[in-house]
Amino acid sequence: MNIGKYTFDEYVIMAAAFHGNPAPGLLIGGYMVELAKSALPEGTIFDAVVETPKCLPDAIQLLTLCSFGNGWMKSVNLGRYALALYDKYTGEGVRVWIDTAKLSMWPEIRAWFLKLRPKREQNRERLVDEIRRAGPSLCGIAPVTVSESFLKKGGMGAIAVCPLCGEAYPAADGGMCRGCSGEHPYLTDAGTDMDMTPPAEPGLRAIPTAQAVGRRALHDMTRVVPGESKDPAYLAGQLLTAGDVCRLHTMGRERVFVMDDVDPGLSWIHENEAALAFARAMAGEGVTFEEPPKEGKINFRAEKEGLLLLDRKKLRAFNLVEDVMCASRQGFLPVEGGKRFAACRAIPLYLARTRFDRAMAVLEDGPLFSIAPIKPLPTGILVTGTEVFKGLVQDKFIPIVKSKVEKFGCEVSGTAVVPDDMEAIARAAADLVADGARLLVTTAGLSVDPDDVTRKGLFKAGLTDALYGAPVLPGAMTLIGRMGQARVLGVPACALYYQVTALDLLLPRLLAGLDITRSDLADMAEGGFCLTCKTCTFPKCPFGK
């Protein structure tokens, strides 16, 4: 049976020349491609999507104009041996796959495709003969319409030069290329401009402590008292006296570096100078840092209470540069004004200028840290539940929510208790917002029970930008959205039992005015499992971190 304009034998030769061997998947793939082409209206300009990286993409490239290189073929590795050809303007097309229900007539193909027999036990001649005779009869075919994202030919967008390897890459990948972020497959960095060998030191020479009298210390020298203190006993530039010799000996300093013995030149930068440059580039709005550096390190502080925002990609990229470091608290955590939340430093006494330049290049397009002020909002609390409305159960939600929002300075502008009725919920929600609530917290009615209609009521009241469900326990059935000028936070009934839930993680973000996306919620999965300790120590615990 022919494969398009080629005889089966001609296609086998083509497949061997292109693929290296006439693999069974490539031979069947030829029939699959031609079947899909025949189902499209004549003259259709089509693109392709393939659901496996094995063999099938080569069949598409052999028999159509679609390829990865020209962007007309896209791969979505679903692990299924299937492809689709579709009109590149409308997205309408057909999907073709190997239908396992049709393999019973072809034992060799079935054994090969389902891996029922080791390769060494397969009869290659019978397998190829069955493929020749079966042709497209093995396949299933169905109409499909691809999503709009597949109708756009993706461009690379802006191009940046990686500060580590010096090669060009899509700027959307972050502060450095994906190769230098650790995704490359190489055991060495051959072929890049990165020099992974430790640089030679800038001619440092240590002298006996007694000979350092009357000279100035080259760097901070730390004194550690176990269990009591760890502080610099001598600062860079400090004049050393005869009285210091004994104390330096007790600190384990038999030799020291002094200033007048070092001329680092332009190829090196002192730890304090490097740390100060890093801090100036890292600090954004609401962030201050301690000067001068101590022991080559600078601490960052929040100017006032707020939510810590950090660029995770940039933080990782910075720490991939050798001989520098920056450590911080978790992003999206409330921080107190004046409290430390991060620090950076150069690790060696003198940092090679090349590594300093790479680190600064990571930081050049904007700050690493900022503090978003938490702004108290007039808060409306809407309790839903027929049992509470009728007085059969005493409400406990209002005092719980009230205590949590007041911790951030919010005032409760109004409360309402309504039955599990969509219309009643909609009216009460609208009334609370109309009365000035700029944060509307609803409680309960968010599960799968037939009486739980809180979501429906909120939508009827004008809820927009709704996201329902979060990878946080307790609090998986959390709801967030907007209603006019008000932010909406739907709290599931678990908050009646657990001291800490998704409410405690999301409330500060809403009060800081942050937009929350589905991607943001997905990022909360790691650390989103509360241990429900008998004695709760939140936020001094792993929850939300």
Side-chain angles (χ1 to χ4, degrees):
M1 187 177 295
N2 286 358
I3 298 178
K5 64 181 180 179
Y6 304 104
T7 67
F8 183 80
D9 291 334
E10 289 172 337
Y11 181 74
V12 169
I13 294 171
M14 289 172 55
F18 185 81
H19 190 74
N21 70 87
L26 183 52
L27 301 184
I28 295 175
Y31 287 120
M32 295 172 68
V33 172
E34 290 299 331
L35 179 60
K37 286 169 62 178
S38 68
L40 294 176
E42 188 174 352
T44 299
I45 300 176
F46 60 83
D47 282 357
V49 62
V50 63
E51 299 179 21
T52 176
K54 297 182 178 180
C55 296
L56 200 50
D58 283 0
I60 295 173
Q61 294 184 105
L62 270 173
L63 298 170
T64 75
L65 296 177
C66 302
S67 72
F68 291 127
N70 63 21
W72 299 347
M73 175 166 58
K74 299 177 177 66
S75 176
V76 181
N77 187 8
L78 304 178
R80 305 187 298 194
Y81 209 76
L83 62 88
L85 302 182
Y86 58 93
D87 187 309
K88 69 189 308 173
Y89 301 109
T90 68
E92 296 178 356
V94 292
R95 179 176 181 267
V96 177
W97 67 97
I98 294 181
D99 189 341
T100 56
K102 298 177 180 180
L103 296 182
S104 57
M105 293 177 57
W106 311 100
E108 289 296 330
I109 297 176
R110 183 173 183 273
W112 161 78
F113 187 64
L114 300 180
K115 298 291 188 288
L116 302 178
R117 191 182 304 155
K119 189 173 183 179
R120 64 180 179 275
E121 296 179 13
Q122 295 173 8
N123 188 309
R124 175 76 178 201
E125 289 185 7
R126 283 206 299 265
L127 175 58
V128 172
D129 182 61
E130 283 192 3
I131 294 172
R132 180 201 306 266
R133 290 186 291 118
S137 67
L138 297 169
C139 303
I141 184 169
V144 292
T145 302
V146 302
S147 64
E148 187 176 345
S149 63
F150 281 81
L151 303 183
K152 301 173 183 177
K153 185 174 180 180
M156 291 185 68
I159 301 298
V161 175
C162 178
L164 297 193
C165 66
E167 296 186 39
Y169 73 102
D173 287 348
M176 65 198 322
C177 74
R178 291 168 63 183
C180 291
S181 294
E183 296 183 37
H184 67 73
Y186 314 113
L187 297 179
T188 66
D189 286 281
T192 75
D193 289 337
M194 292 181 66
D195 180 10
M196 305 303 291
T197 58
E201 292 183 343
L204 297 179
R205 185 173 67 87
I207 63 172
T209 303
Q211 296 177 21
V213 174
R215 304 166 89 168
R216 297 187 181 278
L218 181 61
H219 61 95
D220 295 350
M221 289 181 279
T222 303
R223 181 170 183 263
V224 178
V225 180
E228 293 185 16
S229 63
K230 176 186 176 294
D231 294 296
Y234 298 92
L235 301 178
Q238 183 173 334
L239 185 67
L240 302 178
T241 67
D244 295 321
V245 174
C246 182
R247 189 183 187 200
L248 286 167
H249 283 164
T250 64
M251 292 166 53
R253 309 279 180 169
E254 296 295 326
R255 298 184 303 157
V256 294
F257 291 126
V258 292
M259 279 189 165
D260 52 353
D261 271 1
V262 176
D263 180 15
L266 299 178
S267 298
W268 301 90
I269 183 167
H270 189 271
E271 59 176 355
N272 288 346
E273 184 183 351
L276 188 57
F278 296 154
R280 288 170 176 162
M282 290 177 177
E285 186 174 354
V287 175
T288 186
F289 51 87
E290 301 170 1
E291 295 184 74
K294 293 184 178 179
E295 305 165 286
K297 180 182 72 175
I298 286 186
N299 293 309
F300 296 90
R301 295 179 184 268
E303 290 183 335
K304 58 181 66 176
E305 182 183 9
L307 199 68
L308 173 59
L309 305 182
L310 60 85
D311 187 328
R312 282 194 174 93
K313 285 186 177 181
K314 188 176 294 184
L315 179 61
R316 184 174 188 274
F318 180 83
N319 283 304
L320 281 169
V321 180
E322 291 206 6
D323 291 339
V324 304
M325 64 77 63
C326 180
S328 81
R329 296 187 65 192
Q330 186 84 4
F332 299 116
L333 287 183
V335 291
E336 297 179 41
K339 288 294 185 71
R340 293 174 177 174
F341 66 82
C344 70
R345 70 169 300 159
I347 294 173
L349 177 56
Y350 278 91
L351 180 64
R353 175 70 64 171
T354 53
R355 291 180 176 175
F356 172 77
D357 289 343
R358 287 172 181 163
M360 290 301 295
V362 172
L363 303 172
E364 67 182 3
D365 61 345
L368 176 56
F369 302 113
S370 63
I371 303 296
I374 292 177
K375 300 177 180 179
L377 296 176
T379 303
I381 304 174
L382 174 59
V383 178
T384 66
T386 301
E387 71 282 9
V388 181
F389 179 75
K390 290 182 175 181
L392 301 177
V393 175
Q394 182 182 359
D395 171 62
K396 298 291 183 67
F397 252 129
I398 290 177
I400 290 174
V401 174
K402 185 172 183 287
S403 67
K404 289 182 182 290
V405 299
E406 286 181 343
K407 185 176 68 173
F408 292 102
C410 299
E411 293 185 2
V412 176
S413 59
T415 64
V417 179
V418 296
D420 292 312
D421 176 80
M422 182 176 67
E423 298 292 340
I425 292 170
R427 284 194 301 272
D431 288 345
L432 287 169
V433 173
D435 289 343
R438 292 299 173 260
L439 173 65
L440 176 63
V441 181
T442 70
T443 64
L446 294 171
S447 76
V448 298
D449 294 339
D451 290 333
D452 287 344
V453 292
T454 299
R455 271 195 299 162
K456 293 179 180 179
L458 292 174
F459 277 116
K460 187 172 182 62
L463 181 69
T464 61
D465 302 329
L467 293 174
Y468 174 62
V472 178
L473 289 172
M477 292 179 177
T478 294
L479 171 74
I480 58 174
R482 296 179 183 271
M483 189 179 297
Q485 299 180 56
R487 304 297 294 267
V488 177
L489 176 57
V491 181
C494 61
L496 284 172
Y497 176 74
Y498 295 104
Q499 295 185 60
V500 177
T501 68
L503 160 65
D504 300 271
L505 303 183
L506 292 169
L507 179 60
R509 299 195 192 195
L510 296 177
L511 295 177
L514 301 186
D515 291 327
I516 300 175
T517 66
R518 176 61 64 187
S519 177
D520 294 327
L521 293 179
D523 287 340
M524 296 173 69
E526 184 177 0
F529 184 83
C530 179
L531 297 177
T532 60
C533 305
K534 289 183 178 180
T535 302
C536 180
T537 60
F538 179 84
K540 298 178 179 179
C541 74
F543 185 54
K545 302 179 179 64

